[in-house]
């Protein structure tokens, strides 16, 4: 089966999988009791209706309208499929809704309208204004699309945005700004040749002129040839603006010396011989789909210096509208914009261009098979899965809306708004907010054992940007510096971070001598101590912490957890009164945050050890400002079994009640009993636990690790940890599955722990 046929089969299976299609509507408020029903509908809903009558602006706070966009088409120009009608266009519109929600949290109703008359279509859409906060027009053929959008923008007081025109124009604008930067060319002096004068083509030209391209330097050709002054066939006012006084009639006649080719037309129209006659370092935006005006490999065969973008995902520099439309609507909706104007679109262009010039996102790299992109000829625009798009674009659009006077609900604090958007991207942001604030107030020195690893380097860039710690990278300087350059990171050794050279640090003798002193009764000779210290970055990091050259350590990105843990046990003493180490891991999902222990250290701990780990865990919850509600889990429910495991967990409850009399602790009990207060009340009316538990204490490592991982995967949860407890210094062993964000989060936790330990040591 060919690749194309295989893709078609997979796409049909994807869409047919129950429930059919790609979207559904779900309630945002509970309706499980009689009272909730009376609030959601009659009679309570009347109060909301009356409030909107009193003040129409209240519709934004009492309904979903301010986050609801209509994606509307009549199916006359669907993708590369042409006039297939509104019914067949529905899968595309549903797909647009998926992207709105996935990338920017915007809700969508897709509306496929069986009406080709532009005036009637305008009447239908305009009548929908009370329902929606914005209108996204899609796949309406030219020139009717210009007329429809123009009339709707004049009539409606909400954003109306024809994505085929303006979304494409914004991405093309960002691509050209950065391509010119790479090529070293001045936008005001370039010659631009374009093929295709439909909705997208004209909108792109208008945008590029707004950005600085001179109108007299733009040459346009369509399927009838060059757009020249006096031509009568297939001309309209929008196209006439770009007509030239020339005798040239073909693309071949106008391509000589062109700095930029912009194609929004048909496959193969740009020939290699034409590319050969373009200016030095030509920029080729060949955007016809699925087959571009020229394939990149054919263009580079004659012009290796060309910078090329296409509309395809299998080539670098994909011009993809998903880079724009979710975020421009996000910003517009959040300030109650009455339109999307030129200022907002240009702000979006520059925000996209600026993001591409920064280091690439690790999330986007994972989505594209681990490829790391750096700004240059093959990376002039960000990738659609870059999570920073919403954080950069939406505030830029919102600011432009406010400054241009079209915002009805201005945002007073754009910094706070940006932080709120960050919570959408990184779900742990809200949970970690008090930790970040405390870490920034007094950054501490944190060593990273795997300082050469990409995950660590990216995390350290964020650490430096946010000012939460003073990083120390352990590794080979040449490797670290070359990888920083390859990843286009901005951190600099000696300025943004301290570098510990694992091969030739002058403290090497002091390190191996101390390690031998600590481990000589464990069979470690002077020679083996030298070898271990020279080859084990975790050991060096732990020794730095032991010698107070670092305040904390992050390790475990590479290698086995228990191997790293063994090194730490030999170097970092335990807290006074603590007999052993343990680990707690957290899962943050839509229902909240849940902590599990011990997920990584003790295989089958006794009751004393479990109680000790639980006491340690309740202290750590204070970092997050969370009140612990502890459930001691078992297969036994409040004495229903008398076997050894049940008795052990019952003993844990007794020990904790003595040590932590003010903490809500209950057990031994089933996990569902811990989560459901109604079930618990029925089974055990005198429970000392209120509401749902948030700390789950398991009888052994198997149970804790299984419960933690199943919760993480089945709820699409985000992980924090493992948080190592017991050592007298902030040292944490992560796992090879750790993401950049997890390393960043654990760095902040290590800093806060170091602050608290310093305060205790000084009696403050």
């Amino acid at each position: 089966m060919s690749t194309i046929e295989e893709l078609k089969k997979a796409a049909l299976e994807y869409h047919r999988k129950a429930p059919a299609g790609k979207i559904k509507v779900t309630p945002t408020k509970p309706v499980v009791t009689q009272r909730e029903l009376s609030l959601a509908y009659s009679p309570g809903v009347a109060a909301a209706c009356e409030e909107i009558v009193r003040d129409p602006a209240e519709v934004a706070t009492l309904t979903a309208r301010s986050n609801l966009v209509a994606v509307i088409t009549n199916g006359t120009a669907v993708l590369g499929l042409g006039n297939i009608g509104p019914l067949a266009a529905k899968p595309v519109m549903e797909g647009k809704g998926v992207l709105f929600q996935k990338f920017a949290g915007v809700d969508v109703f897709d509306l496929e309208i069986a009406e080709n008359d532009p005036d009637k279509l305008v009447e239908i859409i305009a009548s929908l204004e009370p329902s929606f906060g914005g209108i996204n027009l899609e796949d309406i053929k030219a020139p009717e699309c210009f007329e429809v959008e123009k009339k709707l923008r004049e009539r409606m007081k909400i954003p109306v945005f024809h994505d085929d025109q303006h979304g494409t124009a914004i991405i093309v604008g960002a691509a050209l700004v950065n391509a010119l930067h790479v090529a070293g060319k001045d936008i005001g002096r370039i010659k631009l040749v374009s093929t295709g004068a439909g909705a997208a083509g004209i909108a792109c030209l208008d945008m590029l002129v707004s950005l600085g391209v001179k109108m007299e330097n733009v040459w346009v050709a369509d399927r009838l040839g060059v757009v020249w002054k006096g031509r009568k066939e297939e001309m309209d006012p929008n196209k006439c603006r770009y007509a030239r006084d020339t005798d040239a009639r073909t693309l071949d006649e106008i391509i000589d010396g062109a700095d930029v080719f912009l194609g929004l037309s048909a496959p193969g129209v740009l020939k290699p011989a034409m590319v050969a006659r373009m200016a030095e370092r030509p920029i080729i935006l060949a955007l016809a789909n699925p087959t571009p005006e020229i394939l990149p490999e054919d263009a580079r065969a004659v012009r290796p210096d060309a910078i090329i973008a296409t509309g395809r995902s299998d080539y670098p520099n994909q011009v993809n509208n998903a880079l724009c439309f979710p975020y421009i609507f996000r910003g517009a909706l959040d300030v109650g914009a009455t339109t999307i104007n030129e200022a907002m679109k240009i702000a979006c262009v520059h925000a996209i261009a600026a993001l591409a010039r920064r280091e690439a996102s690790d999330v986007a790299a994972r989505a594209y098979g681990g490829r790391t992109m750096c700004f240059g000829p093959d990376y002039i625009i960000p990738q659609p899965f870059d999570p920073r798009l919403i954080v950069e674009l939406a505030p830029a659009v919102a600011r432009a809306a406010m400054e241009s006077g079209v915002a009805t609900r201005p945002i007073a604090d754009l910094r706070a708004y940006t932080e709120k958007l960050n919570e959408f991207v990184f779900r742990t942001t809200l949970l970690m907010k008090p930790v970040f604030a405390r870490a920034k107030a007094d950054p501490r020195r944190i060593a990273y054992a795997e300082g050469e690893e990409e995950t660590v380097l990216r995390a350290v860039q964020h650490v430096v940007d946010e000012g939460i710690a003073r990083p120390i990278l352990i590794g080979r300087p040449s490797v670290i510096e070359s990888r920083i350059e390859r990843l286009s990171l901005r951190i600099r050794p000696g300025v943004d971070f301290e570098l510990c050279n694992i091969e030739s640090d002058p403290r090497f003798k002091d390190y191996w001598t101390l390690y031998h002193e600590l481990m000589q009764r464990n069979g470690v000779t002077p020679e083996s101590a030298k070898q271990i210290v020279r080859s084990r970055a975790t050991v060096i990091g732990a020794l730095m912490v032991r010698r107070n050259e670092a305040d904390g350590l992050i390790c475990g990105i590479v290698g086995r957890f228990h191997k790293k843990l063994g090194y730490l046990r030999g170097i970092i003493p335990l807290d006074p009164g603590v007999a052993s180490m343990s680990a707690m891991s957290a899962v943050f999902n839509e229902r909240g945050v849940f902590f599990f222990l011990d997920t990584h250290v003790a295989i089958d701990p006794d009751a004393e050890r479990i109680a000790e780990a639980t006491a340690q865990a309740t202290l750590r919850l204070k970092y997050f400002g969370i009140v612990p509600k502890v459930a001691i889990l078992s297969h036994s429910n409040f004495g229903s079994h008398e076997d050894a495991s049940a008795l052990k967990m019952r003993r844990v409850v007794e020990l904790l009640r003595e040590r932590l009399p003010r903490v809500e602790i209950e057990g031994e009990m089933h996990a569902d009993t811990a989560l459901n207060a109604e079930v618990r009340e029925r089974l055990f009316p005198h429970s000392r636990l209120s509401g749902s538990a948030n700390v789950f204490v398991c009888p052994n490592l198997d149970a804790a690790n299984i419960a933690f991982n199943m919760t993480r995967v089945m709820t699409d949860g985000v992980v924090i940890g493992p948080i190592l407890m017991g050592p007298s210094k902030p040292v944490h062993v992560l796992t090879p599955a750790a993401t950049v964000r997890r390393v960043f989060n654990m760095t902040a936790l290590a800093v806060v722990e170091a602050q608290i330990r310093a305060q205790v040591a000084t009696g403050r």
Side-chain angles (χ1 to χ4, degrees), residues 224 237 265 271 345 361 394 467 475-476 484 487 501 526 534 583 603 631 651 670 689 699 712 748 755:
L224 297 183
S265 51
K271 308 301 181 185
K345 289 184 281 186
S361 157
R476 294 163 293 178
I484 287 172
L487 297 170
N501 187 341
R534 185 178 290 114
I603 301 294
R651 176 59 180 158
H670 293 176
L689 181 65
R712 174 181 64 85
Q755 293 171 351

Side-chain angles (χ1 to χ4, degrees), residues 170 206-207 209-211 328 341-352 396-397 400:
I170 287 168
D206 290 346
M207 171 59 74
V209 169
S210 295
L211 290 170
I328 199 165
N341 59 22
E342 199 68 16
M344 295 159 74
K345 289 184 281 186
I346 289 176
C348 199
V349 168
H350 289 302
I352 293 170
V397 171

Side-chain angles (χ1 to χ4, degrees), residues 170-354:
I170 287 168
I171 310 307
V172 165
L176 183 62
V177 165
N178 278 347
L180 291 172
H181 183 88
V182 172
K185 296 189 177 187
D186 181 352
I187 194 169
R189 302 179 67 179
I190 61 170
K191 175 183 177 181
L192 185 147
V193 174
S194 176
T195 59
I202 295 298
C204 287
L205 294 176
D206 290 346
M207 171 59 74
L208 298 182
V209 169
S210 295
L211 290 170
V213 175
K214 302 297 185 187
M215 179 77 83
E216 59 267 26
N217 294 340
V218 176
W219 296 76
V220 181
D222 61 12
R223 68 185 189 88
L224 297 183
V226 173
V227 175
W228 52 277
K229 284 187 177 179
R231 197 181 99 172
K232 304 299 183 183
E233 299 88 352
E234 296 191 13
M235 296 294 287
D236 59 65
N238 293 297
K239 197 182 294 187
C240 285
R241 294 202 306 275
Y242 293 97
R244 291 286 157 263
D245 188 2
T246 178
D247 294 329
R249 295 295 183 264
T250 66
L251 174 63
D252 189 59
E253 294 175 83
I254 61 175
I255 196 68
D256 283 14
D259 297 281
V260 180
F261 170 81
L262 171 62
L264 292 135
S265 51
V269 301
L270 184 65
K271 308 301 181 185
M274 298 179 188
V275 175
R277 305 204 312 272
M278 293 179 70
E280 291 184 4
R281 302 181 302 282
I283 297 164
I284 299 171
L285 309 175
L287 308 181
N289 256 330
T291 306
E293 287 79 2
I294 188 169
L295 291 170
E297 56 266 31
D298 294 337
R300 284 217 170 92
V302 293
R303 294 302 298 271
D305 60 340
I307 299 170
I308 305 169
T310 71
R312 289 172 48 153
S313 61
D314 54 345
Y315 288 105
N317 299 324
Q318 183 191 15
V319 173
N320 188 328
N321 289 12
L323 286 168
C324 163
F325 69 81
Y327 315 109
I328 199 165
F329 269 100
R330 180 73 280 157
L333 292 171
D334 289 341
V335 295
T338 56
T339 187
I340 293 175
N341 59 22
E342 199 68 16
M344 295 159 74
K345 289 184 281 186
I346 289 176
C348 199
V349 168
H350 289 302
I352 293 170

